[in-house]
């Protein structure tokens, strides 16, 4: 059997991985469309001159990456594309989802007052054991649970918030309209983590599935942090966009002293 | 047994998850330090008034989140913190790592010329089957494989690049110094994915472990995309920081017409 059409037998990269890249490319480019079947295993063997094992491994990997799904006895189909969030502008999650024409629903998991744990207190710049609000909600778009979000806020800043936290559609807007707290900037950290049993159950995924953990500090004019938010987003449904531009100063610092950055 | 110290039996949130949050908090706040043991199972049972099962589940979850590691017969220890990348400025990966005082090593996995696949061609704004360079490298910091990076560049832009792609320490700088290609902006997409067998092997992790997939388009003055980079970063070792500030215009658009964002 002779490898062909973009498959290089001499490459150090495994055949299944090369086939995988080709199939991902065809999904991305729209040659293989969401909801449509991908070619049969036999067809892929013939087209790319690879063994059935290689094809199966590539398809299995596509499945693991949630790019295709299998219907037993029918075939393998291309998954709908991920929901994409643009994070170049400072907008709350719900505004972004509204912009994507999705029907967002917030489901409260829990809203309570509790004493601040030490790290939370440090994040919020308050004393340990000072009362905070702990609000955990599940965010659904078009009926699909997408994100599990836990917010921590100093209770004294927004007394009574937990009774009706989403009056204005989002916490972000409720803070602004009801408490006149205008968030002027955020600091965010992203990482990839595994879902544990509790998180998986709420998000309707399997334990161990990949999640994006987004940790956000929101601050007001003057720099006071008014909110710490930990959001777990389903890796199979969400991605983020960032646009970065280099200005002259950064360029100079890059060229001249990249090693001295702190 | 009475629950205590931040554990609320009446809460809808499972006990192990509450204990987990407390332990994560203590790791974050430095009360539990990297390399030091966490309290024993019996001690945790006593301190928080929870069962051994609850403690074991919390510790297991800490392990899955790679916040602690277990040494059989000795105890459970706090993991070193993740390497953090700041992406508010446009810098190449190696500059960032240099800034973190890590010893970066690039290991070439493969560098070859090949015809562009359709989606790659579209990303790069070139014709299908036009020659591109395909450079796959493994990035190690202090001997630990951290990222698997695959770059795609139009071959005609940088003839001969694949012979010595890292002459100046990074592809980014090589492009600038040897080919006078100055990248002025990038567009990035982040998502969380599972490692497959090939990726896991190269990155010394287990198949299924969470990775951040960073897809970057780099462009020059005028907007031409000169490079597409797909980087897979180990979820247990990397995180990203972003700082966003709201300007007046964005604020107005948020308050007045959040629903009309496209």
């Amino acid at each position: 059997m002779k490898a062909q059409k973009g498959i290089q037998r001499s490459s150090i990269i495994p055949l299944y991985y090369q086939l995988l890249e080709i199939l991902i490319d065809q999904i991305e480019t729209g040659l293989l469309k969401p909801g449509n079947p991908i070619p049969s295993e036999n067809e892929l063997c013939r087209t790319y001159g690879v063994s059935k094992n290689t094809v199966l491994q590539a398809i299995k990997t596509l499945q693991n990456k949630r790019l295709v799904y299998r219907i037993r006895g029918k075939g393998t189909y291309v998954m709908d594309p991920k929901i994409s969030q643009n994070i170049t502008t400072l907008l709350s999650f719900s505004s972004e989802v509204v912009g994507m024409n999705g029907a967002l629903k917030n489901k409260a998991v829990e809203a309570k007052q509790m004493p601040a744990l030490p790290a939370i207190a440090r994040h919020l710049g308050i004393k340990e054991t000072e009362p905070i609000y702990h609000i955990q909600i599940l965010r659904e778009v078009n009926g699909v649970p997408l994100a599990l979000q836990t917010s921590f806020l100093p209770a004294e800043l927004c007394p009574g918030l937990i009774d009706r936290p989403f009056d204005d559609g989002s916490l972000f807007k409720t803070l602004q309209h009801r408490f006149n707290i205008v968030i002027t900037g955020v600091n965010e950290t992203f990482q990839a983590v595994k879902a544990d049993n509790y998180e998986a159950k709420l998000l309707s995924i399997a334990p161990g599935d990949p999640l994006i953990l987004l940790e956000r500090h929101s601050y007001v004019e003057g720099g006071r942090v008014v909110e710490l938010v930990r959001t777990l987003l389903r890796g199979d449904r969400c991605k983020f966009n960032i646009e970065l531009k280099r200005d002259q100063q950064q360029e100079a610092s890059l060229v001249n002293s990249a090693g001295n950055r702190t």
Side-chain angles (χ1 to χ4, degrees), chain A residues 26-27 29-38 67 77-81:
Chain A
Q26 293 179 355
I27 291 170
T29 199
L31 201 66
L32 296 174
K33 287 190 187 16
N36 283 4
I38 67 169
L67 290 170
Y77 295 81
V78 178
M79 195 80 96
D80 285 333

Side-chain angles (χ1 to χ4, degrees), chain A residues 121-192:
Chain A
R122 203 188 46 181
H123 281 296
L124 292 174
I126 59 177
K127 287 202 196 78
E128 277 177 40
T129 74
E130 249 184 69
I132 59 165
Y133 291 147
H134 174 283
I135 301 171
Q136 188 167 77
I137 57 169
L138 194 64
R139 294 183 168 280
E140 294 184 352
V141 177
N142 299 327
V144 179
L146 215 71
L148 179 65
Q149 179 172 321
T150 313
S151 298
F152 305 88
L153 307 99
E156 56 109 359
L157 265 190
C158 40
L161 173 74
I162 44 172
D163 307 328
R164 301 174 286 127
F166 304 105
D167 258 14
D168 292 298
S170 78
L171 197 54
F172 192 92
K173 286 192 226 168
T174 303
L175 286 176
Q176 179 151 349
H177 296 166
R178 204 159 124 212
F179 299 97
N180 203 25
I181 296 173
V182 180
I183 292 167
T184 56
V186 299
N187 187 296
E188 290 184 335
T189 311
F190 283 77
Q191 47 193 309

Side-chain angles (χ1 to χ4, degrees), chain A residues 83-259:
Chain A
I83 292 172
S84 177
Q85 284 199 48
N86 193 320
I87 51 169
T88 52
T89 53
L90 170 60
L91 288 167
S92 71
F93 185 83
S94 59
S95 317
E96 287 157 8
V97 173
V98 168
M100 293 183 287
N101 300 318
L104 176 78
K105 223 173 91 181
N106 291 320
K107 268 188 174 169
V109 177
E110 186 164 79
K112 66 178 179 196
Q113 182 171 321
M114 60 183 284
L117 292 167
I120 303 287
R122 203 188 46 181
H123 281 296
L124 292 174
I126 59 177
K127 287 202 196 78
E128 277 177 40
T129 74
E130 249 184 69
I132 59 165
Y133 291 147
H134 174 283
I135 301 171
Q136 188 167 77
I137 57 169
L138 194 64
R139 294 183 168 280
E140 294 184 352
V141 177
N142 299 327
V144 179
L146 215 71
L148 179 65
Q149 179 172 321
T150 313
S151 298
F152 305 88
L153 307 99
E156 56 109 359
L157 265 190
C158 40
L161 173 74
I162 44 172
D163 307 328
R164 301 174 286 127
F166 304 105
D167 258 14
D168 292 298
S170 78
L171 197 54
F172 192 92
K173 286 192 226 168
T174 303
L175 286 176
Q176 179 151 349
H177 296 166
R178 204 159 124 212
F179 299 97
N180 203 25
I181 296 173
V182 180
I183 292 167
T184 56
V186 299
N187 187 296
E188 290 184 335
T189 311
F190 283 77
Q191 47 193 309
V193 298
K194 276 186 183 182
D196 73 20
N197 295 344
Y198 171 67
E199 295 156 355
K201 197 176 157 198
L202 285 174
L203 290 167
S204 303
I205 52 176
D209 276 359
L211 298 172
I212 292 172
L213 167 58
L214 193 164
E215 237 183 35
R216 174 186 279 214
H217 294 79
S218 308
Y219 52 85
V220 293
E221 194 67 45
R224 168 155 194 194
V225 174
V226 294
E227 186 194 30
L228 167 68
V229 188
R230 293 198 176 122
T231 308
L232 290 165
L233 296 115
R234 279 174 55 170
D236 61 335
R237 301 296 304 154
C238 302
K239 61 180 184 180
F240 291 85
N241 299 323
I242 304 171
E243 175 96 21
L244 301 170
K245 286 202 167 79
R246 172 153 73 163
D247 62 27
Q248 286 306 322
Q249 207 183 349
Q250 280 168 23
E251 187 176 345
S253 109
L254 172 72
V255 173
N256 299 328
S257 63

